[in-house]
Structures are given as structure tokens and as C-alpha cells.
């Protein structure tokens, strides 16, 4: 079964890659040469195009073709055409066999290790952390069962997993729970390919390229391919492509070309923002490819159109966060061009200014982090700039930052500091800062009579650019602007170049004595080992929130330290090659162990303290799975009502619709949550049966009467084309008072209705006869606990261990709500308001 899942996961990636290649064939193949794309960069671009395009095309096909096998066959044919047609552009040549082999030797074990510390060590099939996967799994299972993709399921983008995974589940029997495991491993391999494609744009020399890739792979913090992570990874590759197309000599730089490319990219962002629809952005992308084809005879302008139009449109198609990623990449690239100009203008004060920034920016960042820590522990009063930020978000997004909403949850310096720390890690941060300080004190910039940089400092521009750009972006992130921390991957990529350049200039570019080799290897190994042991390997106090998470990773950390010591001994060899490889391995493995240890700490931030006797990080257990599987086998037309944690696993397994929407498992609109809690409490109260039913129906009628469009489409299959053409930016508005569907799950709930009004409303929505749907409530100890929470409180991420009280089951059985199924921890009851 796992072999089948592994093969189907590989097929999943190949279909998306081939679909992207098919779209790119609209443009002439000359654009690859015009833009100096490497084969790895071309593959990353093709997959980024194909990931979202596959979902859009399957959605359109499902509107006109009822047979899922025909839909799947059409996508298979399209992707096969793309793979075959583009074969000369992406197949490795005979001279690249060694590079491919080297990449595999490095990437495969690193990917397996990354998969283990990020997911495998904390999971035990079928239990694992699928909290973030609930929505796409629900959509995929719904598509597998119905043959129609729900166009209202994507809140702001076309999820790159739901459509194709649902197609594979409905045709070839892909198990979505198993797929969520193998998909993570392939995701990590893709991110490692993106890292290699990025460093190809920075370095043309083989040694620096592979060192930078190894550091990037070992420190990779992106472990699951979502639309957002795909967009930011492709943005990093886009930066590498821009760098490879930039002449390193300032005299060869064309100001006109730079301005034209920037203007084209800005116009693309504005057009996509105005279109406000994924299908229209795909049309914008295809129009750009046609323009590139028409300009194929003028390579210069074709390249500008491709870089300024195609890649930004591709990123915007993947995720709306690209409205942030694209300007960040362009700003980083323009800074590089400015630094090249500054260095070429010698003699001037430019180098002194760069050195000042290199020291000043880290000090400012350190001061902000200290202030954040002081606020976190109560030594400094809390400060908020949300009012200032709201003026910006109100202008751009039409929304202010309000408590409880997603914008509020993603804002603030504390959130930004934690997310940056999660992406980078303390060992990497400390070591790179010390390395830059060491380089600044020991490596002056040499110039000839003309002012040109001498060979002894030929990497000065790259190092100064990557360090200043990374620190500048980090300073911007620490401002706390909502979700600006999502550019952490771009910052980490810049610092990886800094680390590689510093490492090469200090430890490789000259031939040190054997005594110096021993000293350097001993110092690096001792620093890495001490930091790992003190910070990660052994918790000083057993009552720390992250102490029990560390137990999952401790064997891996100890094995890493042992391997670190072995690699350090290899640096004593007389062979310079072995010394270099050993030292690179010591640094890279130290970064990897840093990520492993950090993984245990950040889980306490994400999930809270691990309960006693808990061996798996999961929000569901065997009883939850039993309920979900029973519902899938016995109740296909049921609208689920429960707490969001229980609904999450039920929807993921069954594809069933819910009475309300939620973003994260613990993020529900306050008004909707209050109404839902009241319904559950009313069902459980010790009142006369008929009165309990009337009270519950009067409370649930406004919720059902304003049912979200995702659920309404699943029930009626209404206005599918309108769903695909809808806006991706939602605006909060009051729910209609009539029984009409609404696409906004975050709106307020109308007042209670009378008994007859409630019954009429519910009957109108649920219909009767063969098309009748049932309201089904799932009551668990977690659901009961959720109903007693205040608005600012959250449930534990982990499922309860205590059984549901027998008195609750008995009270339900003797009441007006038929109990359809029950087990140790749950009761499934029907709410017969429409009867």
C-alpha cells in the first residue's frame, strides 16, 4: 500500500510539472537562452506554473465532463505532451550527469533527515499533524466522491493539492491520509531543488555553488509545500535568475533595462490586483507567454518581458502572498545593482557606508529582539502599532486589524521574532554574525589604481549585498507588519549566501597550515557541540514546555553530535580536499542539528505543552477516526456541526460539508462560534424534549439560513462558473436576513427566529425527498469543553483521553435527537429540525 502511495505521489508531481511545461510551450523555447535559465530553474518554473494551473483546468473540466476518468485522462495527456515537448530543455545532458549524481547524494539523505525531524519523529500512522491539511483534504475527498471540484473551497487561491489528489483518489484509489505523509518528503526534495536553482544564479564556480547548496539544504526550514511555501521558494529562484541576468561589471549595466523590467513587474502586480481572480491571472500569464513568443526575435525585450511579466504572474497565480514576495525580490536585486555601482565609483565613501550598515543593522536588530523579549516577559510595557498598520491594510485590503481576525494573529513584533527564529535558528544566527565580524576585521577590500576591486576581495560585493539585504529585510519584518514574516525564506536564502561566501573567504580560499586546520576545526566543532548540548539536547528542567518534545529528537541529536565529531577529525587529514569537505560537513551538520533541536522547541509554541503519556503530535485519535469512517460509510448527505477540531478530521476523511467555516483549527469567527456553542449547550440541557428541540432549531436556523457558499454548492451544485470567477479578496459584510447562501464565513449571525420561522428556514435549505440533507451534530468531551470556553480561550491541540460521560449519551438517547452512532468518546446525533 505504501509503495502504491509513493508511486502515485511521484505521478502527482510529474503531472503538475508536465502541465506547467505545456503552458510554457506557448512561448518560444528561445526564452530559455534569452533569460539564461538553467535546467533546474526551468523545472522550478514549470512546476510553479503547473501546480495551480492543474487545479484550475480540472475545475473547468469538471463543469463540462461528468466522468472523472475522462478528466484525469485529459490532464494526463496534457502533462505528457508538456514533458515530451520540453524534454530537450530539462533533460540532463551527458556533461551534467556528475552534477545530478552529486545533487542526489547530498539531497536524498538531507531530505529524509528533514522529513524525520519535521514530521516523522512526531507521528505514527495514521496519526499525525494534519491540522493545516484539513481544508485541502476535505475538498479532495469531496471531488473524489462527486467528480466536481467545489469552486468555493479555495478562500484565496487554488490549492495545489486538492484537485489532482482528489482526481487520483477518485480514479486510482489514492489514500489521502497516506498521501499526506509521502507528499511531505517530495515537498522537501522540491525545496532542495529550488535551493540549488537559486545558488546557480549566484555562483558560476562549482566549489562555491555546492558549498552554498549544502548549507541551504542543511538549514532548510520549508518542509511542506503549500501554495504559500511554493510561491516563496519560487520567488527565491526568481531572485537567482535576476542575479544571473545581471552583469557583474557596473559599466555593462543598462539603467534603461533595469527600469523597464521594474515597470513591467509593477504593471503585472497592478493588473493581477485589479483582476482579483485566479482564472484571470492564468489568462494574464498566458497572454504574457504570447508576448514573449512575439518578441522571440528580439532577445533583449523577450527576456525583459519574461522576467518582468511571466515569473511575477506565475507567483501571483500560486499565492496572494506574492504581492509581498515579488517587491521583496525586486528590492533585493536593485540593492545589488546599487552596491555594484557604489563599489565602481571608488574613490568614495561608499565602502565605508557599506561597512557601517554591516555593523549598524545587526545592532539595531539585536536591540529590537531584546525589547521584544522584555515585552514577552513583562519587563517592558506592551506596545502595538496596529492602528498605524490598519491605515495601510485598510487602503490595500479594505480591512483594518481587529482582534481575533487573521490579520491580528499575524501581526506584531513578537510573532515576527518567533517566526524568524523558527526559520533561522540560534546556532546559524550566532555563527554567521561571528563569521561576518571576523571577515570584517581580517579582510580589507583591496583596489587597484583604477578603483576596481582586487582579486583578494572579489567576493566583497556578494557578501556585502547578501548581508545588508538580509539584515534590512529582517529589520522590516521585526516591525511587526501583518504576515511580513512570510519573507523569512528569502532572508534565510540571503544569509545562506553570506555564510557560504564568508566560509570560503576565511577558510578555503587560502591554504592554511596544518596547525591552523586543527585550531579551526576544533573551534567550530566545540562551538556547535556546546550550543547544541546547552540549548537542545538535554532540557535543564523537566517542567519546561518543550522538554517532552525533545525526547522525540534526542537520539537524532546525539547521533548528529557523534557524526559532527567524526567529521571534525577528518579535517586533520593532509589532503586539502578532505580537509575542505570535512570542514564543510562540520558547519553544515551543525546547522542541521540546529534545525533538529529547534523543531522540538517551536512545537511547544505551536501546540502547547505535551500531555503525559502522549506519543504522537496529533489533534485526533482512534475514536475520532472511527466516527469519521462511520459517517463516510453511512451518511453521505450530512452537514456536520461540532467543535472545529472534531469537524477537521471528519471533513478530511469524509469530505462532508460543515455548518460553518474556520481557517485554523482554533480560529473561528466569534459570533459564529458563540451561536454554535449555544446550539450544543441547548441540546445537552436537562429540559423537556420538545422544548429542547425547538430551542436548538431556533438557534441553528440563522446559522443554516446563512450557510456558507462552499456548503451550499456541495448541496445544490449551483453556479459553479460563478464560483470560479469570484473575487479572491473577501470583504466582511452582514449576513443576509433571508435564506440565501453567503460566501463569507466571518460575518455576524442574525437574531434567533421563532419556531415556525426556524422550521421553514431549515426546510428551505435542506429540502426534502431524494435531495434531503441532514444536520448532524458530533458530541465529544472536547466539544463539551469547547462550549464553555471564553472568546479568548483555546482548546488543547491534543485530543482528550477521558470517555464521554454515560449520562450524556443516555440523555441524548431519551431526548428528541436520534443517536445514530456512538463509541467511547463520541456520539453522532441527528438534529431533526426539518422534520
Amino acid at each position: 500500500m505504501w509503495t502504491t502511495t509513493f508511486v502515485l505521489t511521484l505521478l502527482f508531481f510529474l503531472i503538475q510539472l508536465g502541465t506547467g511545461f505545456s503552458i510554457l510551450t506557448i512561448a518560444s523555447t528561445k526564452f530559455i537562452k534569452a533569460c539564461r535559465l538553467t535546467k533546474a530553474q526551468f523545472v522550478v518554473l514549470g512546476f510553479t506554473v503547473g501546480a495551480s494551473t492543474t487545479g484550475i483546468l480540472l475545475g473547468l473540466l469538471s463543469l463540462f465532463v461528468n466522468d472523472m476518468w475522462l478528466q484525469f485522462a485529459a490532464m494526463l495527456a496534457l502533462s505528457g505532451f508538456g514533458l515530451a515537448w520540453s524534454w530537450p530543455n530539462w533533460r540532463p545532458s551527458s556533461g551534467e550527469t556528475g552534477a545530478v549524481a552529486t545533487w542526489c547524494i547530498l539531497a536524498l539523505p538531507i531530505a529524509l533527515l528533514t522529513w524525520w525531524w519535521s514530521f516523522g519523529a512526531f507521528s505514527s500512522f495514521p496519526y499525525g499533524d494534519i491540522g493545516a491539511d484539513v481544508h485541502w483534504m476535505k475538498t479532495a475527498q469531496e471531488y473524489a466522491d462527486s467528480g466536481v471540484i467545489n469552486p468555493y473551497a479555495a478562500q484565496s487561491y487554488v490549492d495545489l493539492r486538492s484537485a489532482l489528489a482528489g482526481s487520483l483518489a477518485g480514479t486510482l484509489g489514492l489514500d489521502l491520509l497516506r498521501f499526506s505523509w509521502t507528499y511531505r518528503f517530495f515537498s522537501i526534495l522540491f525545496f532542495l531543488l529550488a535551493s540549488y536553482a537559486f545558488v546557480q544564479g549566484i555562483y558560476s564556480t562549482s566549489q562555491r555553488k555546492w558549498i552554498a547548496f549544502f548549507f541551504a539544504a542543511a538549514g532548510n526550514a520549508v518542509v511542506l509545500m503549500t501554495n504559500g511555501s511554493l510561491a516563496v521558494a519560487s520567488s527565491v529562484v526568481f531572485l537567482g535568475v535576476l542575479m544571473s541576468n545581471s552583469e557583474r561589471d557596473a559599466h555593462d549595466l543598462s539603467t534603461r533595462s533595469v527600469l523597464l523590467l521594474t515597470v513591467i513587474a509593477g504593471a503585472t502586480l497592478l493588473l493581477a490586483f485589479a483582476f482579483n481572480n485566479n482564472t484571470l491571472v492564468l489568462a494574464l500569464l498566458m497572454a504574457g507567454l504570447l508576448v514573449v513568443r512575439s518578441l522571440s526575435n528580439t532577445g533583449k525585450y523577450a527576456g525583459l518581458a519574461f522576467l518582468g511579466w511571466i515569473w511575477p504572474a506565475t507567483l501571483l497565480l500560486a499565492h496572494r502572498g506574492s504581492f509581498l514576495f515579488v517587491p521583496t525580490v525586486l528590492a533585493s536585486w536593485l540593492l545589488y545593482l546599487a552596491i555594484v555601482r557604489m563599489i565602481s565609483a571608488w574613490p568614495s565613501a561608499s565602502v565605508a557606508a557599506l561597512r557601517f550598515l554591516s555593523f549598524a543593522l545587526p545592532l539595531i536588530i539585536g536591540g529590537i529582539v531584546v525589547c521584544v523579549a522584555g515585552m514577552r516577559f513583562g519587563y517592558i510595557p506592551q506596545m502595538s502599532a496596529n492602528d498605524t498598520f490598519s491605515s495601510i491594510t485598510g487602503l490595500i485590503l479594505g480591512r483594518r486589524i481587529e482582534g481575533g481576525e487573521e490579520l491580528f494573529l499575524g501581526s506584531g513584533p513578537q510573532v515576527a521574532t518567533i517566526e524568524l527564529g523558527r526559520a533561522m535558528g540560534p546556532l546559524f544566527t550566532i555563527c554567521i554574525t561571528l563569521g561576518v565580524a571576523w571577515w570584517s576585521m581580517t579582510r580589507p577590500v583591496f583596489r587597484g589604481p583604477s578603483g576596481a576591486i582586487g582579486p583578494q576581495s572579489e567576493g566583497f560585493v556578494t557578501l556585502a549585498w547578501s548581508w545588508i539585504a538580509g539584515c534590512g529585510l529582517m529589520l522590516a519584518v521585526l516591525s511587526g507588519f501583518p504576515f511580513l514574516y512570510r519573507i523569512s525564506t528569502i532572508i534565510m536564502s540571503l544569509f545562506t549566501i553570506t555564510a557560504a561566501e564568508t566560509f570560503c573567504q576565511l577558510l578555503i580560499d587560502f591554504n592554511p597550515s596544518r596547525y591552523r586546520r586543527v585550531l579551526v576545526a576544533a573551534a567550530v566543532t566545540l562551538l556547535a557541540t556546546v550550543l547544541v548540548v546547552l540549548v537542545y539536547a538535554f532540557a535543564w528542567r523537566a517542567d519546561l514546555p518543550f522538554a517532552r518534545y525533545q525526547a522525540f529528537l534526542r537520539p537524532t541529536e546525539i547521533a548528529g553530535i557523534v557524526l559532527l565529531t567524526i567529521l571534525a577529525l577528518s579535517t586533520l587529514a593532509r589532503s586539502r580536499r578532505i580537509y575542505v569537505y570535512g570542514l564543510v560537513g562540520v558547519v553544515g551538520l551543525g546547522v542541521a542539528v540546529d534545525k533538529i533541536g529547534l523543531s522540538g522547541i517551536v512545537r511547544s509554541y505551536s501546540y502547547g505543552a505535551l500531555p503525559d503519556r502522549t506519543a504522537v503530535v496529533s489533534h485526533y485519535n482512534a475514536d475520532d477516526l472511527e466516527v469519521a469512517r462511520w459517517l463516510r460509510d453511512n451518511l453521505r448527505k450530512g452537514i456536520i456541526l461540532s467543535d472545529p477540531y472534531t469537524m477537521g478530521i471528519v471533513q478530511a476523511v469524509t469530505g462532508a460539508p460543515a455548518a460553518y467555516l474556520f481557517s485554523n483549527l482554533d480560529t473561528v469567527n466569534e459570533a459564529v462560534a458563540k451561536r454554535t456553542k449555544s446550539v450544543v449547550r441547548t441540546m445537552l440541557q436537562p429540559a423537556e424534549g420538545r422544548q429542547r428541540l425547538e430551542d436548538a432549531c431556533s438557534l441553528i436556523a440563522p446559522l443554516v439560513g446563512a450557510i456558507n457558499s462552499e456548503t451550499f454548492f456541495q448541496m445544490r451544485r449551483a453556479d459553479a462558473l460563478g464560483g470560479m470567477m469570484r473575487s479572491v479578496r473577501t470583504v466582511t459584510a452582514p449576513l443576509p436576513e433571508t435564506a440565501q447562501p453567503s460566501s463569507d464565513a466571518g460575518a455576524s449571525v442574525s437574531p434567533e427566529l421563532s419556531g415556525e420561522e426556524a422550521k421553514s428556514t431549515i426546510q428551505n435549505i435542506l429540502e426534502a425527498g431524494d435531495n434531503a440533507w441532514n444536520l448532524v451534530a458530533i458530541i465529544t468531551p472536547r466539544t463539551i469543553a469547547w462550549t464553555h470556553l471564553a472568546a479568548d480561550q483555546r482548546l488543547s491541540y491534543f485530543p482528550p483521553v477521558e470517555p464521554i460521560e454515560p449520562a450524556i449519551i443516555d440523555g441524548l438517547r431519551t431526548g428528541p435527537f436520534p443517536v445514530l452512532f456512538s463509541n467511547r468518546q463520541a456520539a453522532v446525533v441527528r438534529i431533526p429540525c426539518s422534520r
Side-chain angles (χ1 to χ4, degrees):
M1 188 66 178
W2 280 107
T3 302
T4 302
T5 305
F6 193 87
V7 172
L8 291 180
T9 307
L10 177 60
L11 179 62
F12 172 92
F13 278 81
L14 288 177
I15 290 175
Q16 291 190 332
L17 179 63
T19 302
F21 285 163
S22 296
I23 300 298
L24 291 176
T25 56
I26 296 174
S28 171
T29 56
K30 294 180 181 179
F31 77 86
I32 299 177
K33 295 181 180 179
C35 299
R36 306 180 185 178
L37 288 184
T38 66
K39 292 179 179 179
Q41 292 167 349
F42 180 66
V43 170
V44 171
L45 176 63
F47 186 84
T48 308
V49 172
S52 295
T53 301
T54 302
I56 294 175
L57 295 180
L58 278 173
L60 290 172
L61 278 172
S62 68
L63 299 181
F64 305 105
V65 180
N66 294 326
D67 192 332
M68 180 174 283
W69 277 99
L70 290 179
Q71 300 170 23
F72 177 70
M75 291 307 304
L76 199 62
L78 180 65
S79 63
F81 164 77
L83 290 171
W85 187 267
S86 302
W87 173 249
N89 299 324
W90 63 274
R91 67 175 177 86
S93 62
S94 57
E96 296 172 324
T97 305
V100 173
T102 304
W103 185 88
C104 291
I105 292 172
L106 292 175
L108 290 175
I110 291 176
L112 184 60
L113 178 64
T114 304
W115 179 88
W116 177 254
W117 65 251
S118 63
F119 180 76
F122 302 96
S123 307
S124 177
F125 187 81
Y127 310 110
D129 176 26
I130 66 165
D133 297 341
V134 163
H135 299 293
W136 78 258
M137 290 179 69
K138 182 265 178 190
T139 307
Q141 191 60 61
E142 177 189 346
Y143 176 40
D145 293 336
S146 66
V148 179
I149 297 178
N150 194 323
Y152 296 92
Q155 296 176 352
S156 60
Y157 49 80
V158 180
D159 193 285
L160 59 89
R161 292 165 286 183
S162 55
L164 188 53
S167 179
L168 290 170
T171 55
L172 301 179
L174 175 66
D175 186 306
L176 296 179
L177 270 179
R178 293 179 184 271
F179 173 73
S180 68
W181 283 55
T182 55
Y183 178 80
R184 282 172 163 81
F185 179 73
F186 280 90
S187 297
I188 296 168
L189 283 178
F190 174 82
F191 292 133
L192 297 188
L193 178 64
S195 298
Y196 179 70
F198 167 64
V199 299
Q200 276 187 313
I202 306 296
Y203 294 116
S204 57
T205 58
S206 179
Q207 188 178 55
R208 268 175 162 75
K209 177 178 66 178
W210 286 112
I211 290 174
F213 167 67
F214 182 66
F215 288 170
N220 173 53
V222 188
V223 296
L224 177 64
M225 188 186 297
T226 61
N227 288 69
S229 61
L230 172 63
V232 74
S234 189
S235 297
V236 171
V237 179
F238 179 39
L239 177 58
V241 173
L242 289 174
M243 293 292 292
S244 64
N245 281 270
S246 303
E247 301 294 341
R248 305 306 169 97
D249 187 344
H251 299 290
D252 294 333
L253 293 175
S254 171
T255 303
R256 180 182 177 186
S257 297
V258 172
L259 290 177
L260 184 58
L261 191 153
T262 305
V263 168
I264 293 174
T268 303
L269 293 178
L270 291 176
L271 279 173
F273 190 81
F275 286 167
N276 196 22
N277 178 267
N278 295 310
T279 307
L280 294 179
V281 173
L282 176 59
L284 176 66
L285 170 63
M286 298 174 72
L289 291 170
L290 288 172
V291 170
V292 172
R293 186 177 188 89
S294 66
L295 297 174
S296 59
N297 294 327
T298 56
K300 179 180 179 180
Y301 292 105
L304 291 176
F306 181 81
L307 293 176
W309 189 338
I310 303 305
W311 214 301
T314 297
L315 298 175
L316 294 169
L317 182 64
H319 194 266
R320 62 180 175 176
S322 299
F323 285 110
L324 175 63
F325 304 149
V326 173
T328 301
V329 166
L330 290 175
S332 301
W333 174 61
L334 292 174
L335 177 64
Y336 172 80
L337 299 181
I339 290 178
V340 172
R341 292 276 191 182
M342 292 170 66
I343 298 301
S344 66
W346 179 265
S348 69
S350 57
V351 175
L354 293 176
R355 285 185 176 275
F356 173 77
L357 286 176
S358 298
F359 282 100
L361 288 175
L363 293 177
I364 297 173
I365 290 170
I368 294 176
V369 172
V370 170
C371 291
V372 169
M375 288 188 290
R376 181 79 173 178
F377 295 105
Y379 296 106
I380 300 176
Q382 295 284 342
M383 295 178 291
S384 175
N386 284 342
D387 290 338
T388 303
F389 293 151
S390 290
S391 62
I392 302 175
T393 60
L395 178 64
I396 299 176
L397 303 176
R399 297 172 58 189
R400 292 182 56 83
I401 302 174
E402 303 290 347
E405 292 190 349
E406 283 189 286
L407 282 178
F408 179 82
L409 296 175
S411 67
Q414 292 190 31
V415 174
T417 302
I418 291 172
E419 294 296 336
L420 274 174
R422 190 207 304 252
M424 295 182 59
L427 264 71
F428 182 82
T429 306
I430 292 171
C431 291
I432 192 176
T433 304
L434 292 177
V436 171
W438 181 13
W439 181 91
S440 299
M441 292 184 292
T442 59
R443 291 291 182 274
V445 180
F446 292 94
R447 291 176 179 77
S450 64
I453 298 177
Q456 293 177 324
S457 298
E458 61 184 7
F460 173 74
V461 173
T462 301
L463 193 151
W465 162 73
S466 59
W467 176 248
I468 293 173
C471 290
L473 292 177
M474 181 181 288
L475 191 60
V477 170
L478 290 175
S479 69
F481 189 81
F483 296 111
L484 198 58
Y485 63 79
R486 288 181 173 175
I487 66 172
S488 298
T489 302
I490 300 176
I491 297 174
M492 185 67 184
S493 300
L494 291 168
F495 283 151
T496 299
I497 298 302
T498 304
E501 194 62 45
T502 305
F503 180 86
C504 291
Q505 291 191 38
L506 290 176
L507 302 176
I508 292 182
D509 288 348
F510 67 101
N511 193 13
S513 64
R514 195 163 185 269
Y515 171 76
R516 185 178 178 86
R517 292 183 189 178
V518 174
L519 185 63
V520 169
V524 172
T525 305
L526 182 63
L527 177 64
T529 304
V530 168
L531 287 174
V532 167
V533 172
L534 291 180
V535 179
Y536 300 127
F538 306 99
W540 286 102
R541 289 167 42 193
D543 60 338
L544 290 174
F546 61 83
R548 298 194 64 238
Y549 288 101
Q550 293 298 103
F552 289 95
L553 301 167
R554 191 159 297 141
T556 307
E557 292 172 343
I558 295 174
I561 294 174
V562 172
L563 183 57
L564 197 70
T565 306
I566 295 174
L567 286 173
L569 293 177
S570 69
T571 61
L572 305 179
R574 294 183 179 275
S575 170
R576 185 175 185 276
R577 181 186 293 268
I578 296 177
Y579 161 74
V580 170
Y581 289 165
L583 201 56
V584 170
V586 167
V587 175
L589 189 60
V591 173
V593 176
D594 186 24
K595 291 295 181 183
I596 294 171
L598 188 64
S599 175
I601 292 180
V602 298
R603 271 172 170 71
S604 65
Y605 165 69
S606 301
Y607 308 117
L610 195 69
D612 293 336
R613 298 184 300 278
T614 300
V616 177
V617 177
S618 174
H619 75 274
Y620 58 94
N621 55 24
D623 294 301
D624 295 323
L625 278 178
E626 185 182 15
V627 169
R629 287 165 177 163
W630 183 89
L631 285 168
R632 174 166 172 74
D633 294 336
N634 297 277
L635 192 66
R636 289 299 181 92
K637 289 189 175 183
I639 301 175
I640 307 301
L641 180 72
S642 187
D643 64 274
Y645 292 81
T646 303
M647 285 204 312
I649 185 60
V650 170
Q651 285 191 287
V653 174
T654 65
Y660 63 91
L661 295 181
F662 55 92
S663 57
N664 298 319
L665 292 179
D666 53 4
T667 308
V668 183
N669 175 269
E670 185 178 339
V672 173
K674 184 178 180 180
R675 174 73 61 178
T676 307
K677 292 174 183 178
S678 298
V679 172
V680 176
R681 285 196 299 265
T682 301
M683 294 174 61
L684 298 176
Q685 68 182 3
E688 191 271 330
R690 183 175 182 81
Q691 185 62 44
R692 285 164 60 190
L693 178 61
E694 289 185 359
D695 291 344
C697 292
S698 65
L699 288 169
I700 203 173
L703 198 65
V704 176
I707 203 164
N708 58 79
S709 293
E710 178 182 339
T711 299
F712 192 82
F713 176 83
Q714 192 168 353
M715 296 168 61
R716 306 284 178 85
R717 297 287 186 268
D719 197 19
L721 185 59
M724 293 198 67
M725 299 303 297
R726 77 197 187 287
S727 165
V728 297
R729 291 193 301 272
T730 57
V731 179
T732 302
L735 290 180
E737 295 185 3
T738 57
Q740 298 295 326
S742 170
S743 60
D744 185 7
S748 59
V749 181
S750 56
E752 294 183 20
L753 304 177
S754 65
E756 289 301 322
E757 289 176 329
K759 184 175 182 180
S760 174
T761 299
I762 294 174
Q763 286 178 339
N764 182 45
I765 295 297
L766 301 185
E767 293 191 343
D770 295 336
N771 296 324
W773 283 72
N774 294 288
L775 284 170
V776 178
I778 304 174
I779 311 296
T780 70
R782 169 181 272 169
T783 311
I784 298 171
W786 182 63
T787 63
H788 294 92
L789 290 181
D792 59 345
Q793 293 179 315
R794 298 182 180 184
L795 287 172
S796 169
Y797 178 81
F798 299 93
V801 295
E802 69 276 6
I804 192 170
E805 296 181 12
I808 294 177
I809 300 292
D810 294 338
L812 290 172
R813 291 187 186 279
T814 58
F817 307 101
V819 177
L820 306 179
F821 174 81
S822 65
N823 60 16
R824 192 181 71 93
Q825 280 194 324
V828 179
V829 299
R830 184 168 58 85
I831 307 176
C833 293
S834 59
R835 299 297 188 267

